[in-house]
Amino acid sequence: QKEVEQDPGPLSVPEGAIVSLNCTYSNSAFQYFMWYRQYSRKGPELLMYTYSSGNKEDGRFTAQVDKSSKYISLFIRDSQPSDSATYLCAMSLNFGNEKLTFGTGTRLTIIP
Amino acid sequence: SAVISQKPSRDICQRGTSLTIQCQVDSQVTMMFWYRQQPGQSLTLIATANQGSEATYESGFVIDKFPISRPNLTFSTLTVSNMSPEDSSIYLCSVEGGGFYNEQFFGPGTRLTVL
């Protein structure tokens, strides 16, 4: 069993829709949770960073963590074609310089 | 945020040869990380490289196959040795960003194809 499971998609939604991306994990010791966005032929860029259960909002993006269920989500409101990318969840045991454990990534396409 | 460059951006290599990938950062960083991103697989940490010490390898990765150098605080190399088609992958370096969360920033990656 993989430590982090993520539906690889691909996922296609019309522009303006709400997108929900999810990851589950098996190691309850993970404390820090990240969402990275990766455009084609680019390196991943950090989108959201959370470290507690609950919701964290940043513009059109909301990250949700449920440690009791070992489940994290990223919601994108009013999706735009520029949101088309692969979204990777990642998590770590400790803060800072630390091994990141990634999901496989979900490829998202926003259709104009 | 740190600006990271990698060379080469892509390469096609023959089985049995070796390729050295360079990672250059625009600021001094203590730790650099090397990841592999195989098709359909998650990004997987190969090793952590501290300046002035031996790299620390993750389970399943060995120094003979992936030797790493870290000569100074802005540069590192990863060599993929005695390559086979299974080594075809994207190789990425990342560094501590020094941001609020001390998050990792990634380079653009090196796309390697082994024939």
Side-chain angles (χ1 to χ4, degrees):
Chain A
Q1 181 188 9
K2 292 181 181 178
E3 277 194 291
V4 180
E5 298 276 1
Q6 183 176 8
D7 186 341
L11 181 63
S12 295
V13 301
E15 183 176 354
I18 296 174
V19 176
S20 172
L21 305 168
N22 311 296
C23 288
T24 58
Y25 60 97
S26 57
N27 187 350
S28 58
F30 284 130
Q31 297 294 325
Y32 298 90
F33 306 91
M34 290 135 272
W35 286 94
Y36 280 83
R37 178 175 61 194
Q38 186 175 22
Y39 290 112
S40 180
R41 303 191 185 281
K42 302 285 187 183
E45 57 176 331
L46 183 68
L47 199 58
M48 298 285 283
Y49 189 114
T50 57
Y51 53 87
S52 60
S53 285
N55 293 351
K56 180 180 178 181
E57 193 172 313
D58 185 359
R60 297 184 294 109
F61 299 90
T62 300
Q64 188 175 80
V65 174
D66 183 346
K67 289 185 177 179
S68 62
S69 301
K70 296 199 279 288
Y71 187 90
I72 68 171
S73 299
L74 177 71
F75 298 96
I76 307 174
R77 292 185 301 279
D78 187 24
S79 55
Q80 305 293 311
S82 58
D83 296 327
S84 298
T86 296
Y87 289 81
L88 304 151
C89 64
M91 42 203 79
S92 66
L93 301 177
N94 300 301
F95 178 77
N97 286 317
E98 174 68 38
K99 171 186 175 181
L100 298 181
T101 301
F102 282 85
T104 52
T106 300
R107 183 185 295 181
L108 172 67
T109 300
I110 307 299
I111 303 167
Chain B
S1 63
V3 177
I4 306 165
S5 60
Q6 285 185 235
K7 289 181 182 179
S9 59
R10 56 169 53 215
D11 208 342
I12 300 173
C13 301
Q14 295 297 319
R15 180 194 299 260
T17 62
S18 297
L19 176 73
T20 295
I21 301 167
Q22 299 178 7
C23 179
Q24 180 76 51
V25 191
D26 68 341
S27 57
Q28 294 184 340
V29 294
T30 303
M31 295 175 73
M32 297 178 78
F33 306 87
W34 285 98
Y35 286 84
R36 182 173 72 180
Q37 189 175 27
Q38 292 181 306
Q41 304 293 318
S42 27
L43 262 132
T44 303
L45 182 65
I46 297 171
T48 302
N50 272 343
Q51 193 269 333
S53 62
E54 293 289 324
T56 303
Y57 289 82
E58 295 296 308
S59 174
F61 297 96
V62 295
I63 188 171
D64 289 346
K65 176 67 175 177
F66 298 101
I68 288 171
S69 77
R70 184 74 203 278
N72 58 52
L73 291 173
T74 63
F75 187 79
S76 178
T77 67
L78 169 76
T79 299
V80 186
S81 303
N82 188 25
M83 289 184 286
S84 67
E86 292 70 36
D87 294 318
S88 297
S89 184
I90 299 172
Y91 293 85
L92 299 114
C93 68
S94 74
V95 304
E96 52 177 327
F100 181 79
Y101 300 111
N102 210 22
E103 62 269 28
Q104 289 182 29
F105 289 89
F106 285 81
T110 295
R111 187 178 296 266
L112 171 62
T113 301
V114 183
L115 303 177

